[in-house]
Amino acid sequence: MTIRTATAPDAWGVWYASDPKQTPWERYLDEVAASGYSWTELGPWGYLPTDPAQLQNVLSSRGLGLCGAAVVHPLTAPDALETLRDRLRPLCRTLVATNTPWLLLMDDSDAYLTPEARIATPEIWKRMMHVITTVAREIRHEHGLHLLFHPHVGTAVETEAEILRLLNDTPADQVELCFDFGHHAYTGADALAFMRQHASRIPYYHFKNLDGAIHARAMAAGTPFMEVFQNGVMCELDKGILDFTEVVDFLRKQDFDGFVVVEQDMYPCPPDKPLPIARHNRDVLKRLGL
């Protein structure tokens, strides 16, 4: 068993390739190393250097490795397959050059103007499953990469029922999950129970906790999820409703070999806010034996 701990630009409030509200990428990498992590996700394409040689250099000079890369794309759009293929070509080349096997795919919540609009019709759902499965097969065949689907609040694959439907409608040997505890808990579902039941389909985890009080107030008020995220609903690993001692105990019993990536969904945030939180979360993982 080897559980590798990582973090991601998201934990520094980075959601976009370029945004004046975000920490510069050089500072991000410096602070990842300073907080005690050895691995990072790539973040939005264009945030970190896109040239593979330069990327490898800026990572290795700080003692860091790349564990995965996430792509957010409007998967229910009629032209989703073609536009996604175009976006993935340079990213796949970079992942291969840096020996990074995991590509995380998420639907784009910005594609839906209302919560109701995210509910896919049977025809749209079938087309989306075709996009996901086709891309998974192509990146495996052409680049040797593995596709992880990341369910996300505010998208066409948000609820536990939708995640189970996706698992049923995609091939298990091609499409696996990046399981995000915080997003799963946000929908009101039991994230630990889901993990235990579907661990065979989850080779990669996003560790994220949920502030129960902020969440309850937001649900009662019907606050849009983006505003709830900006209000701090995703909190430090030891300050939310999820017990990561149980999570790590389960992973050990399963002899899990892979990555757990700490995120916190806190865009935008002051530049001095992320590092103390990152150090705290890394200390929590150390106390859990990771």
Side-chain angles (χ1 to χ4, degrees):
M1 178 192 75
T2 304
I3 301 178
R4 300 170 182 86
T5 57
T7 190
D10 172 90
W12 267 254
V14 175
W15 285 8
Y16 305 102
S18 178
D19 190 309
K21 298 177 183 178
Q22 297 177 169
T23 299
W25 68 264
E26 297 93 340
R27 179 173 178 174
Y28 166 70
L29 291 180
D30 289 342
E31 293 189 352
V32 169
S35 58
Y37 290 100
S38 298
W39 300 88
T40 177
E41 285 186 3
L42 186 65
W45 178 252
Y47 175 65
L48 295 182
T50 56
D51 175 75
Q54 183 188 5
L55 177 62
Q56 189 67 64
N57 180 62
V58 300
L59 291 170
S60 61
S61 66
R62 295 168 172 85
L64 300 175
L66 194 64
C67 62
V71 176
V72 180
H73 198 78
L75 297 177
T76 59
D79 61 347
L81 183 57
E82 291 73 21
T83 54
L84 182 56
R85 280 170 169 158
D86 289 342
R87 293 185 64 195
L88 290 183
R89 288 188 186 99
L91 175 57
C92 287
R93 288 194 293 268
T94 294
L95 294 180
V96 171
T98 54
N99 296 312
T100 308
W102 302 111
L103 192 151
L104 290 61
L105 180 62
M106 290 183 277
D107 191 21
D108 189 350
S109 61
D110 288 344
Y112 309 107
L113 298 179
T114 66
E116 295 75 24
R118 71 166 196 83
I119 307 299
T121 65
E123 294 77 14
I124 291 176
W125 179 270
K126 183 178 180 180
R127 185 174 70 220
M128 181 170 58
M129 294 304 105
H130 172 70
V131 170
I132 295 167
T133 301
T134 299
V135 166
R137 287 175 172 154
E138 289 178 353
I139 66 170
R140 181 79 63 89
H141 175 72
E142 296 173 14
H143 305 287
L145 301 174
H146 299 267
L147 187 134
L148 302 168
F149 189 86
H150 185 323
H152 197 286
V153 172
T155 72
V157 187
E158 172 188 297
T159 67
E160 188 166 289
E162 289 160 350
I163 299 170
L164 292 172
R165 187 180 177 191
L166 176 136
L167 293 179
N168 184 66
D169 292 349
T170 56
D173 64 336
Q174 298 288 331
V175 179
E176 297 176 289
L177 289 181
C178 166
F179 185 63
D180 187 306
F181 287 93
H183 282 268
H184 204 87
Y186 189 95
T187 68
D190 187 333
L192 297 183
F194 185 93
M195 173 192 67
R196 293 187 182 102
Q197 187 172 359
H198 300 283
S200 64
R201 200 85 179 258
I202 308 173
Y204 191 104
Y205 289 88
H206 277 177
F207 275 23
K208 187 181 298 175
N209 216 332
L210 185 79
D211 185 306
I214 293 176
H215 182 258
R217 290 195 298 268
M219 295 302 100
T223 309
F225 82 89
M226 188 65 74
E227 183 178 336
V228 187
F229 282 22
Q230 292 170 347
N231 289 339
V233 72
M234 300 302 176
C235 60
E236 288 90 333
L237 294 178
D238 59 342
K239 297 181 181 180
I241 65 173
L242 297 166
D243 184 354
F244 278 92
T245 301
E246 291 187 36
V247 173
V248 173
D249 286 347
F250 175 82
L251 293 178
R252 286 200 177 98
K253 290 175 183 176
Q254 294 294 307
D255 201 26
F256 177 74
D257 187 358
F259 285 99
V260 298
V261 181
V262 178
E263 290 191 321
Q264 200 158 321
D265 287 345
M266 53 185 185
Y267 170 90
C269 66
D272 293 332
K273 180 179 179 180
L275 180 57
I277 292 174
R279 284 176 165 155
H280 177 84
N281 282 330
R282 188 67 190 92
D283 287 342
V284 172
L285 294 177
K286 289 177 180 178
R287 294 197 295 270
L288 294 174
L290 301 181

